[in-house]
Amino acid sequence: MTGMQNKVEKKLKEKAVRPTAMRTLVLKFLLERGSAVSLTDLEDALDTADKSTLFRTLKTFEQNDLVHTIEDGSGKLKYALCTETCNSDTDHHHFHFTCQKCGETYCLPKQQMPKLDLPLNFSVLEVSLVLKGICAECN
Amino acid sequence: MTGMQNKVEKKLKEKAVRPTAMRTLVLKFLLERGSAVSLTDLEDALDTADKSTLFRTLKTFEQNDLVHTIEDGSGKLKYALCTETCNSDTDHHHFHFTCQKCGETYCLPKQQMPKLDLPLNFSVLEVSLVLKGICAECN
DNA sequence: CATTTATTTGCAACCCGGTTGCGCTTTTTG
DNA sequence: CAAAAAGCGCAACCGGGTTGCAAATAAATG
């Protein structure tokens, strides 16, 4: 019963997600990891759990705004924790960074969406911005 | 031997792609369509052609800067013609718009990339921006 | 408590977009 | 014209994602 455990279970209850053993495990992994994870990442890390269970766990987290999804061009959908500095759950602006060397994907801190030229009568509801380059670790 | 045919074959030769019947067909379709197409779109439209052939045709086009790829979140990779107003082939800024109603994906005209806050020691080599909303047609 | 009911999990199978090996056909080259 | 190269179609495969179903676990009810 570590502090980590408590933090994890508190976070789950906060979002009205029943804290099963599986979910605690997955959320703990997400917290420790700090970057976005794919379903495959989870499968590899938590090899006791079944793929479908992990899949449904992530879906549950997503529905309850614990995580949001990112398409970073890797071909795998990634999931990242929603934090205070990430505005993905509130408005619909998604800013992410993918390192082309290590493959890690990070949420970028909340920031103003720059204005863009758009054809007439196009209306924007959502913005997804992925920066690709080299992260601090790999630089 | 229409004007269209000539235009298509000229475009192919311009990029040093041998103008086979198949490639002419595909390029013609891309030109007429005006928006980005997926492999499945092509399969449906040109049902005489085999999937693998279409796939390899698109790859060839991509390698020779006739088209560029877009991940618009539809789960299918899309291909769009490189034009003068699209800067995807020259620099590495990709601006696209996906209509959430009709599913069409369009290249947005070349424009200045806005400055963004980035963590220390992160360097950006490529930018991919996808706006999602409703297009003029659907509005 | 004991039992009914709902939720969660694991397994297997499936779907679909993308990709490859290979043999046949067509085109290019010498 | 023959040899070599390029293009094409078919079938099969791969991997990420998804679903149906039955067993296990947890919650609710009498």
Short mmCIF file of all heavy atoms in Angstrom, two decimals, chain B residues 18 39-40 51-52 55-56 59 76-77, chain C residues 16-22 27-29:
data_model
loop_
_atom_site.label_atom_id
_atom_site.label_comp_id
_atom_site.label_asym_id
_atom_site.label_seq_id
_atom_site.Cartn_x
_atom_site.Cartn_y
_atom_site.Cartn_z
N ARG B 18 7.51 6.38 -65.31
CA ARG B 18 7.09 5.81 -66.58
C ARG B 18 5.57 5.75 -66.64
O ARG B 18 4.92 5.19 -65.76
CB ARG B 18 7.66 4.40 -66.72
CG ARG B 18 8.08 4.05 -68.13
CD ARG B 18 8.31 2.57 -68.29
NE ARG B 18 9.22 2.00 -67.29
CZ ARG B 18 10.53 1.87 -67.50
NH1 ARG B 18 11.06 2.26 -68.63
NH2 ARG B 18 11.28 1.35 -66.57
N LEU B 39 -6.18 4.14 -50.13
CA LEU B 39 -6.02 2.97 -50.99
C LEU B 39 -7.38 2.34 -51.28
O LEU B 39 -7.69 1.95 -52.42
CB LEU B 39 -5.11 1.96 -50.28
CG LEU B 39 -4.77 0.67 -51.02
CD1 LEU B 39 -4.18 0.97 -52.39
CD2 LEU B 39 -3.80 -0.16 -50.20
N THR B 40 -8.22 2.29 -50.28
CA THR B 40 -9.56 1.72 -50.44
C THR B 40 -10.40 2.53 -51.42
O THR B 40 -11.14 1.96 -52.23
CB THR B 40 -10.27 1.65 -49.08
OG1 THR B 40 -9.34 1.25 -48.09
CG2 THR B 40 -11.43 0.69 -49.12
N LYS B 51 -5.37 -4.49 -55.73
CA LYS B 51 -4.99 -3.68 -54.57
C LYS B 51 -3.48 -3.46 -54.50
O LYS B 51 -3.01 -2.34 -54.27
CB LYS B 51 -5.48 -4.38 -53.29
CG LYS B 51 -5.25 -3.61 -52.03
CD LYS B 51 -6.02 -4.18 -50.85
CE LYS B 51 -5.63 -5.60 -50.51
NZ LYS B 51 -5.80 -5.90 -49.06
N SER B 52 -2.73 -4.54 -54.70
CA SER B 52 -1.28 -4.43 -54.56
C SER B 52 -0.68 -3.52 -55.63
O SER B 52 0.27 -2.80 -55.37
CB SER B 52 -0.63 -5.81 -54.61
OG SER B 52 -0.79 -6.38 -55.90
N PHE B 55 -1.44 -0.04 -54.59
CA PHE B 55 -0.53 0.26 -53.48
C PHE B 55 0.85 0.65 -53.98
O PHE B 55 1.40 1.69 -53.61
CB PHE B 55 -0.44 -0.96 -52.57
CG PHE B 55 0.60 -0.86 -51.50
CD1 PHE B 55 0.43 -0.01 -50.42
CD2 PHE B 55 1.75 -1.63 -51.57
CE1 PHE B 55 1.40 0.07 -49.42
CE2 PHE B 55 2.72 -1.55 -50.59
CZ PHE B 55 2.54 -0.70 -49.51
N ARG B 56 1.38 -0.19 -54.87
CA ARG B 56 2.73 0.09 -55.37
C ARG B 56 2.75 1.34 -56.25
O ARG B 56 3.74 2.08 -56.27
CB ARG B 56 3.26 -1.14 -56.11
CG ARG B 56 3.63 -2.25 -55.13
CD ARG B 56 4.39 -3.39 -55.79
NE ARG B 56 3.51 -4.49 -56.14
CZ ARG B 56 3.65 -5.76 -55.71
NH1 ARG B 56 4.64 -6.07 -54.91
NH2 ARG B 56 2.82 -6.69 -56.07
N LYS B 59 2.96 4.21 -53.88
CA LYS B 59 4.32 4.27 -53.33
C LYS B 59 5.29 4.91 -54.33
O LYS B 59 6.13 5.72 -53.97
CB LYS B 59 4.82 2.87 -52.97
CG LYS B 59 4.23 2.30 -51.70
CD LYS B 59 4.85 2.94 -50.48
CE LYS B 59 4.15 2.53 -49.20
NZ LYS B 59 4.45 3.40 -48.07
N LYS B 76 -7.07 5.35 -42.15
CA LYS B 76 -6.51 4.99 -43.45
C LYS B 76 -5.53 6.07 -43.89
O LYS B 76 -5.83 7.25 -43.78
CB LYS B 76 -7.61 4.88 -44.50
CG LYS B 76 -8.70 3.90 -44.16
CD LYS B 76 -9.69 3.81 -45.30
CE LYS B 76 -11.01 3.21 -44.84
NZ LYS B 76 -12.02 3.19 -45.90
N LEU B 77 -4.42 5.64 -44.40
CA LEU B 77 -3.45 6.57 -44.93
C LEU B 77 -4.00 7.18 -46.21
O LEU B 77 -4.53 6.47 -47.06
CB LEU B 77 -2.14 5.84 -45.22
CG LEU B 77 -0.90 6.70 -45.44
CD1 LEU B 77 -0.66 7.61 -44.25
CD2 LEU B 77 0.31 5.83 -45.68
P DC C 16 -14.30 -5.78 -42.66
OP1 DC C 16 -15.67 -5.33 -42.92
OP2 DC C 16 -13.67 -6.82 -43.52
"O5'" DC C 16 -13.34 -4.51 -42.69
"C5'" DC C 16 -12.79 -3.99 -41.48
"C4'" DC C 16 -11.41 -3.43 -41.76
"O4'" DC C 16 -10.40 -4.35 -41.27
"C3'" DC C 16 -11.09 -3.22 -43.25
"O3'" DC C 16 -10.34 -2.04 -43.33
"C2'" DC C 16 -10.23 -4.43 -43.58
"C1'" DC C 16 -9.43 -4.53 -42.28
N1 DC C 16 -8.74 -5.82 -42.02
C2 DC C 16 -7.55 -5.80 -41.29
O2 DC C 16 -7.12 -4.72 -40.89
N3 DC C 16 -6.92 -6.97 -41.04
C4 DC C 16 -7.43 -8.11 -41.49
N4 DC C 16 -6.78 -9.24 -41.23
C5 DC C 16 -8.66 -8.16 -42.24
C6 DC C 16 -9.27 -6.99 -42.49
P DG C 17 -10.44 -1.10 -44.63
OP1 DG C 17 -11.43 -0.06 -44.34
OP2 DG C 17 -10.58 -1.99 -45.80
"O5'" DG C 17 -8.99 -0.43 -44.69
"C5'" DG C 17 -8.50 0.28 -43.56
"C4'" DG C 17 -7.00 0.10 -43.51
"O4'" DG C 17 -6.71 -1.28 -43.21
"C3'" DG C 17 -6.29 0.42 -44.82
"O3'" DG C 17 -5.26 1.36 -44.54
"C2'" DG C 17 -5.75 -0.92 -45.30
"C1'" DG C 17 -5.65 -1.73 -44.00
N9 DG C 17 -5.82 -3.17 -44.18
C8 DG C 17 -6.86 -3.80 -44.82
N7 DG C 17 -6.74 -5.10 -44.82
C5 DG C 17 -5.56 -5.35 -44.13
C6 DG C 17 -4.92 -6.58 -43.81
O6 DG C 17 -5.28 -7.72 -44.08
N1 DG C 17 -3.73 -6.37 -43.11
C2 DG C 17 -3.24 -5.14 -42.76
N2 DG C 17 -2.08 -5.14 -42.09
N3 DG C 17 -3.82 -3.99 -43.05
C4 DG C 17 -4.98 -4.16 -43.73
P DG C 18 -4.30 1.91 -45.67
OP1 DG C 18 -3.84 3.24 -45.23
OP2 DG C 18 -4.96 1.75 -46.97
"O5'" DG C 18 -3.06 0.91 -45.58
"C5'" DG C 18 -2.41 0.74 -44.34
"C4'" DG C 18 -1.43 -0.40 -44.43
"O4'" DG C 18 -2.13 -1.64 -44.63
"C3'" DG C 18 -0.41 -0.30 -45.58
"O3'" DG C 18 0.88 -0.33 -45.02
"C2'" DG C 18 -0.70 -1.52 -46.44
"C1'" DG C 18 -1.34 -2.47 -45.44
N9 DG C 18 -2.21 -3.50 -46.01
C8 DG C 18 -3.37 -3.31 -46.71
N7 DG C 18 -3.94 -4.43 -47.09
C5 DG C 18 -3.08 -5.42 -46.62
C6 DG C 18 -3.16 -6.82 -46.72
O6 DG C 18 -4.03 -7.51 -47.28
N1 DG C 18 -2.09 -7.45 -46.10
C2 DG C 18 -1.06 -6.80 -45.46
N2 DG C 18 -0.10 -7.56 -44.92
N3 DG C 18 -0.98 -5.48 -45.35
C4 DG C 18 -2.02 -4.86 -45.95
P DT C 19 2.18 -0.09 -45.91
OP1 DT C 19 3.24 0.45 -45.02
OP2 DT C 19 1.79 0.61 -47.14
"O5'" DT C 19 2.61 -1.57 -46.29
"C5'" DT C 19 2.82 -2.50 -45.24
"C4'" DT C 19 3.20 -3.84 -45.82
"O4'" DT C 19 2.03 -4.52 -46.33
"C3'" DT C 19 4.19 -3.78 -46.99
"O3'" DT C 19 5.38 -4.38 -46.54
"C2'" DT C 19 3.50 -4.55 -48.13
"C1'" DT C 19 2.45 -5.35 -47.37
N1 DT C 19 1.21 -5.71 -48.11
C2 DT C 19 0.92 -7.04 -48.27
O2 DT C 19 1.62 -7.93 -47.83
N3 DT C 19 -0.24 -7.30 -48.95
C4 DT C 19 -1.12 -6.37 -49.48
O4 DT C 19 -2.14 -6.72 -50.07
C5 DT C 19 -0.74 -4.99 -49.29
C7 DT C 19 -1.63 -3.92 -49.83
C6 DT C 19 0.39 -4.73 -48.62
P DT C 20 6.63 -4.59 -47.50
OP1 DT C 20 7.81 -4.52 -46.65
OP2 DT C 20 6.46 -3.68 -48.64
"O5'" DT C 20 6.47 -6.08 -48.02
"C5'" DT C 20 6.30 -7.11 -47.07
"C4'" DT C 20 6.29 -8.45 -47.78
"O4'" DT C 20 4.99 -8.66 -48.38
"C3'" DT C 20 7.31 -8.60 -48.92
"O3'" DT C 20 7.90 -9.88 -48.80
"C2'" DT C 20 6.47 -8.49 -50.18
"C1'" DT C 20 5.15 -9.09 -49.70
N1 DT C 20 3.94 -8.64 -50.42
C2 DT C 20 2.97 -9.57 -50.73
O2 DT C 20 3.07 -10.74 -50.45
N3 DT C 20 1.88 -9.06 -51.37
C4 DT C 20 1.66 -7.74 -51.74
O4 DT C 20 0.64 -7.40 -52.32
C5 DT C 20 2.71 -6.83 -51.39
C7 DT C 20 2.58 -5.39 -51.74
C6 DT C 20 3.78 -7.32 -50.76
P DG C 21 9.20 -10.29 -49.55
OP1 DG C 21 10.19 -10.64 -48.53
OP2 DG C 21 9.50 -9.27 -50.59
"O5'" DG C 21 8.72 -11.62 -50.28
"C5'" DG C 21 7.86 -12.54 -49.60
"C4'" DG C 21 7.52 -13.72 -50.49
"O4'" DG C 21 6.29 -13.44 -51.20
"C3'" DG C 21 8.54 -14.05 -51.57
"O3'" DG C 21 8.47 -15.46 -51.80
"C2'" DG C 21 8.06 -13.25 -52.76
"C1'" DG C 21 6.54 -13.30 -52.59
N9 DG C 21 5.80 -12.11 -53.03
C8 DG C 21 6.20 -10.81 -52.89
N7 DG C 21 5.32 -9.96 -53.36
C5 DG C 21 4.28 -10.76 -53.83
C6 DG C 21 3.06 -10.40 -54.44
O6 DG C 21 2.62 -9.28 -54.70
N1 DG C 21 2.31 -11.53 -54.77
C2 DG C 21 2.69 -12.83 -54.53
N2 DG C 21 1.85 -13.78 -54.91
N3 DG C 21 3.83 -13.17 -53.95
C4 DG C 21 4.57 -12.09 -53.64
P DC C 22 9.41 -16.18 -52.82
OP1 DC C 22 9.62 -17.55 -52.31
OP2 DC C 22 10.57 -15.31 -53.12
"O5'" DC C 22 8.50 -16.28 -54.12
"C5'" DC C 22 7.20 -16.85 -54.03
"C4'" DC C 22 6.53 -16.80 -55.39
"O4'" DC C 22 5.85 -15.53 -55.55
"C3'" DC C 22 7.50 -16.92 -56.57
"O3'" DC C 22 6.96 -17.81 -57.52
"C2'" DC C 22 7.57 -15.50 -57.11
"C1'" DC C 22 6.14 -15.04 -56.83
N1 DC C 22 5.97 -13.56 -56.83
C2 DC C 22 4.77 -13.02 -57.31
O2 DC C 22 3.90 -13.78 -57.72
N3 DC C 22 4.62 -11.67 -57.32
C4 DC C 22 5.59 -10.89 -56.86
N4 DC C 22 5.39 -9.57 -56.88
C5 DC C 22 6.82 -11.41 -56.37
C6 DC C 22 6.97 -12.75 -56.37
P DT C 27 3.16 -3.01 -73.26
OP1 DT C 27 2.25 -1.85 -73.18
OP2 DT C 27 3.23 -3.85 -74.48
"O5'" DT C 27 4.64 -2.50 -72.92
"C5'" DT C 27 4.89 -1.91 -71.64
"C4'" DT C 27 6.38 -1.80 -71.43
"O4'" DT C 27 6.98 -3.12 -71.36
"C3'" DT C 27 7.11 -1.05 -72.55
"O3'" DT C 27 7.76 0.06 -71.98
"C2'" DT C 27 8.11 -2.08 -73.11
"C1'" DT C 27 8.27 -3.02 -71.91
N1 DT C 27 8.69 -4.42 -72.25
C2 DT C 27 9.88 -4.89 -71.77
O2 DT C 27 10.63 -4.22 -71.09
N3 DT C 27 10.18 -6.18 -72.10
C4 DT C 27 9.39 -7.04 -72.87
O4 DT C 27 9.77 -8.18 -73.12
C5 DT C 27 8.16 -6.49 -73.36
C7 DT C 27 7.25 -7.32 -74.19
C6 DT C 27 7.86 -5.21 -73.03
P DT C 28 8.53 1.12 -72.91
OP1 DT C 28 8.37 2.46 -72.32
OP2 DT C 28 8.17 0.87 -74.32
"O5'" DT C 28 10.04 0.65 -72.68
"C5'" DT C 28 10.57 0.68 -71.36
"C4'" DT C 28 11.94 0.03 -71.34
"O4'" DT C 28 11.84 -1.36 -71.75
"C3'" DT C 28 12.96 0.68 -72.28
"O3'" DT C 28 14.11 0.99 -71.50
"C2'" DT C 28 13.24 -0.38 -73.33
"C1'" DT C 28 12.97 -1.66 -72.54
N1 DT C 28 12.60 -2.86 -73.33
C2 DT C 28 13.37 -4.00 -73.20
O2 DT C 28 14.35 -4.06 -72.48
N3 DT C 28 12.95 -5.07 -73.96
C4 DT C 28 11.86 -5.11 -74.82
O4 DT C 28 11.59 -6.12 -75.43
C5 DT C 28 11.10 -3.89 -74.91
C7 DT C 28 9.90 -3.81 -75.79
C6 DT C 28 11.50 -2.83 -74.17
P DT C 29 15.29 1.88 -72.11
OP1 DT C 29 15.82 2.75 -71.04
OP2 DT C 29 14.83 2.45 -73.40
"O5'" DT C 29 16.38 0.76 -72.43
"C5'" DT C 29 16.73 -0.18 -71.42
"C4'" DT C 29 17.67 -1.23 -72.00
"O4'" DT C 29 16.91 -2.21 -72.74
"C3'" DT C 29 18.72 -0.68 -72.98
"O3'" DT C 29 19.98 -1.22 -72.63
"C2'" DT C 29 18.25 -1.17 -74.34
"C1'" DT C 29 17.58 -2.49 -73.95
N1 DT C 29 16.55 -2.99 -74.90
C2 DT C 29 16.56 -4.33 -75.23
O2 DT C 29 17.38 -5.11 -74.80
N3 DT C 29 15.56 -4.70 -76.10
C4 DT C 29 14.58 -3.89 -76.66
O4 DT C 29 13.74 -4.35 -77.41
C5 DT C 29 14.64 -2.50 -76.27
C7 DT C 29 13.63 -1.54 -76.82
C6 DT C 29 15.61 -2.12 -75.42
#
